[in-house]
Amino acid sequence: MTGGPAREPGRWLLACYPRGWRQRYAAEFTELLAAERAELGRSWRRDGNVAAAGLRARLAAAGLVGHPLDPDAAARAGLGTIAASLSAAVIAGVASWARIAIGLQWSAPATPGIGRSMDLMSAALLLLATAGLLAAVPVAWAVLAAIARRQSRELRRPAAMIAAGAAVLVIGGRHVQNGWPGTGGHLLVHQGLVPGLAAFGWAVTMWVTSYWAHPSALAAFPAGQLAWLAVSPAATACLVAGMVQLGRRLPLSARSLRYQATAALLGGTGAALLAAGTLSWLSDADSGPVRLFRAGTIGQACLAVIAIAAVTGGCAARRSWSASRNPAGTVTVTRPGAP
């Protein structure tokens, strides 16, 4: 009769640890905790210490704190966290930038703050794109090398996820961008690629909207648009998840990891600049026609996402750089589910 209650605390405490750790140590952990509780009784201090250790293990699995036993795993985890963080910043940034571009296509703002935010965000997105390109080239080379050595089995799934997500976003985005609300405006016509990029950015981030909180208004959308609102976030999640998994599984030398960490720091700088531009937009959002430049809850949420992503990505990049300087020198491919 006492076995069930004694084991109950172990369940929620075990949930504090990452999946890979649980797969290895769940049975021993549960038995040890149950025996200790039966002998010493319940202790909230002990449970708190165990939960805190689980949180640290999760942070180590995400590459946000040091991993004393496996620095290679910490470096891999850092790359995955960097990919997820900067992807979130790009999604939120593109959604905000495209929204400002729609307003600027139709009306000049009453104050220079909106134009300044557009310039800052444009520079930030260009910096993030450059960092992404710099990081992607050696990754692509490493994938091709793994295929040539017939060691690409663990890379097939993330590569397929990246290809599928990107294909859906590119094809669907090119089709949906024809309905861009900025079509018919004229103020950005002479700004080179800006209108076309803004239309595509608006299309692929259309799901970043407050309409989700208003089902009755959302139901009034055309069926095709509703379908895209469901498909585009799924395709985005597929793309980002593939990049995260690839970062964790790709065999990279310590030198390559340091290079990736440097590119990530460049991307983190872009994310910080993106946050500054978004903040400038929020500060002057009431200038000009409110309908065109109003930020609202989505703008505030985008700023929060960008700021958190910049901090998290920068922390993971520093940890990945530090872990890549260990004497082991080479990161090996791991099986799915490995910590």
Side-chain angles (χ1 to χ4, degrees):
M1 298 295 293
T2 59
R7 289 174 181 271
E8 187 64 31
R11 292 194 179 98
W12 74 267
L13 288 173
L14 186 62
C16 296
Y17 288 80
R19 183 180 63 178
W21 191 96
R22 296 197 304 268
Q23 289 175 341
R24 286 188 178 184
Y25 306 114
E28 295 88 342
F29 173 85
T30 304
E31 291 295 334
L32 178 62
L33 194 61
E36 188 171 352
R37 184 184 178 192
E39 180 180 355
L40 302 176
R42 170 173 287 183
S43 171
W44 291 108
R45 177 178 293 182
R46 181 179 62 246
D47 290 351
N49 289 337
V50 173
L55 176 60
R56 181 173 178 81
R58 282 191 174 274
L59 292 175
L64 296 177
V65 299
H67 197 306
L69 300 180
D70 192 349
D72 286 352
R76 287 195 305 272
L79 289 184
T81 301
I82 291 165
S85 299
L86 295 186
S87 294
V90 168
I91 292 168
V94 168
S96 301
W97 180 80
R99 186 168 183 174
I100 296 173
I102 293 172
L104 291 175
Q105 181 78 336
W106 288 102
S107 175
T111 63
I114 296 296
R116 181 171 60 249
S117 65
M118 184 69 172
D119 293 339
L120 284 172
M121 295 172 74
S122 298
L125 290 173
L126 180 60
L127 192 59
L128 283 163
T130 302
L133 182 61
L134 290 174
V137 171
V139 167
W141 179 262
V143 170
L144 292 176
I147 293 174
R149 295 193 301 266
R150 297 184 179 181
Q151 297 177 350
S152 62
R153 182 176 180 180
E154 303 296 339
L155 306 179
R156 293 174 186 172
R157 180 178 177 181
M161 293 173 67
I162 292 172
V168 170
L169 290 176
V170 170
I171 296 173
R174 289 295 303 273
H175 175 73
V176 175
Q177 75 176 64
N178 294 325
W180 183 48
T183 301
H186 62 282
L187 297 184
L188 293 179
V189 170
H190 303 294
Q191 298 297 319
L193 296 174
V194 171
L197 291 175
F200 181 77
W202 167 82
V204 298
T205 61
M206 186 187 295
W207 56 274
V208 184
T209 175
S210 59
Y211 277 106
W212 295 112
H214 305 282
S216 58
L218 191 64
F221 284 21
Q225 192 168 345
L226 288 174
W228 179 244
L229 284 174
V231 171
S232 55
T236 301
C238 183
L239 173 62
V240 174
M243 291 191 298
V244 171
Q245 291 184 18
L246 190 64
R248 288 176 176 268
R249 301 179 185 183
L250 193 64
L252 293 174
S253 66
R255 182 178 179 181
S256 296
L257 280 170
R258 288 194 293 273
Y259 171 85
Q260 293 291 344
T262 302
L265 289 174
L266 180 64
T269 303
L273 191 61
L274 193 59
T278 307
L279 183 61
S280 177
W281 171 41
L282 294 177
S283 300
D284 279 15
D286 292 333
S287 66
V290 175
R291 183 177 62 87
L292 294 178
F293 297 111
R294 182 180 178 185
T297 304
I298 290 298
Q300 297 169 5
C302 285
L303 175 60
V305 168
I306 294 168
I308 293 172
V311 173
T312 304
C315 181
R318 289 192 297 271
R319 288 292 178 181
S320 183
W321 173 275
S322 177
S324 68
R325 298 178 68 85
N326 72 89
T330 302
V331 176
T332 57
V333 178
T334 57
R335 291 193 297 264

